[in-house]
């Protein structure tokens, strides 16, 4: 199954994607995580991406396409993937449709996580990431275990001004993808992402089983 998690920054895509990946045994392909790994490793790709990420702008499509193409060719993604934070605009959606068609696949479903802007800003302020595992926590809603907490970091692009720009970019470029997939006849499941993590997870699993 090929599934897209769509939603604003902070809507819970990474959190739900990690849980789903474990439940379904399907890898999560998160372009944001891949880019952060590249920045940390100091690769050429990371150097190209960093300025865009720090400003809350989208990294150029060609960079993302090459990265996803390589990742999809890995054996663990042979039967499907959970796309988190990708595609983010019409051009990326078109190239993903084409890439999947080339291997006899297509997007089976889109899960669209809806969360209020105020909630989003609160969530981003409390987001912490474990750089060793890439797992995402929240100081209040999902605190890291005591032994992990000291090594958790705040993402540099989670400062309020950058979050607001990312929300603008999301509204302009990414939100219209809901219509793209509806028009393509792909089931788009709208989920209220403002509820507790377990409730959201339960609803998504229920929807996918149907
Ligand atoms: P969030 O989970 O808050 O939505 P991500 O981790 O998905 O954030 O992305 C962080 C940043 O990485 C984005 O603001 C953007 O600069 C870059 N990025 C991630 N995925 C993509 C993509 N598919 N296309 C372009 N830029 C991306
Ligand atoms: P995204 O990948 O869409 O940017 P994340 O999964 O990283 O979003 O979640 C953003 C922040 O909100 C994290 O700190 C996460 O722990 C927290 N969070 C995620 N889902 C929920 C939820 N349902 N309720 C409260 N906080 C949540």
């Amino acid at each position: 199954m090929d599934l897209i998690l769509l939603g604003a920054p902070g809507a819970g895509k990474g959190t739900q994607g990690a849980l789903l990946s474990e439940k379904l045994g399907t890898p999560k392909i998160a372009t944001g995580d891949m880019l952060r790994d590249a920045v940390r490793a100091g690769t050429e790709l990371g150097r190209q991406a960093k300025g865009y990420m720090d400003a809350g702008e989208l990294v150029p499509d060609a960079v993302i396409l090459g990265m996803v193409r390589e990742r999809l060719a890995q054996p663990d993604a042979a039967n499907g993937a959970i796309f988190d934070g990708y595609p983010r605009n019409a051009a990326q959606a078109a190239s993903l449709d084409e890439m999947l068609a080339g291997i006899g696949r297509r997007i089976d479903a889109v899960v669209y996580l809806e969360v209020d802007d105020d909630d989003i800003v609160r969530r981003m302020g409390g987001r912490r990431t474990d750089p060793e595992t890439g797992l995402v926590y929240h100081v209040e809603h999902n605190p890291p275990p005591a032994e992990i907490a000291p090594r958790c970091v705040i993402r540099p692009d989670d400062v309020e001004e950058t979050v607001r720009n990312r929300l603008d970019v999301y509204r302009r470029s990414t939100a219209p993808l809901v219509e793209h997939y509806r028009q393509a006849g792909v089931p788009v499941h709208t989920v209220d992402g403002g509820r507790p993590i377990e409730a959201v997870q339960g609803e998504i699993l229920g929807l996918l089983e149907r």
Side-chain angles (χ1 to χ4, degrees), residues 188-204:
V188 176
H189 304 293
T190 302
V191 172
D192 174 4
R195 290 166 308 150
I197 293 171
E198 298 70 30
V200 177
Q201 180 69 190
E203 183 175 345
I204 297 175

Side-chain angles (χ1 to χ4, degrees), residues 100-151:
L100 287 176
I103 50 175
R105 283 158 52 179
R106 62 184 163 76
I107 295 299
D108 296 296
V110 173
V111 172
Y112 171 41
L113 289 169
E114 267 191 329
V115 179
D116 287 350
D117 278 10
D118 289 347
D119 265 354
I120 298 249
V121 173
R122 261 196 301 277
R123 282 189 186 182
M124 309 293 250
R127 172 154 65 183
R128 299 292 181 273
T129 311
D130 176 357
E132 275 181 35
T133 61
L135 287 176
V136 173
Y137 298 95
H138 189 280
V139 288
E140 283 164 46
H141 308 304
N142 182 22
E147 67 276 17
I148 291 175
R151 67 170 191 242

Side-chain angles (χ1 to χ4, degrees), residues 8-10 13 31-33 35-36 52-53 56-59 64 84-88 92 124 127 155 157-158 166:
K13 304 179 297 295
T31 45
D33 290 349
L35 291 169
R36 277 184 292 280
Y52 296 99
M53 296 172 78
E57 295 293 333
L58 295 184
V59 172
I64 303 291
D84 159 10
Y86 169 87
R88 256 177 153 95
Q92 291 184 13
M124 309 293 250
R127 172 154 65 183
R155 271 172 46 177
D157 58 341
D158 275 351
R166 285 158 63 202

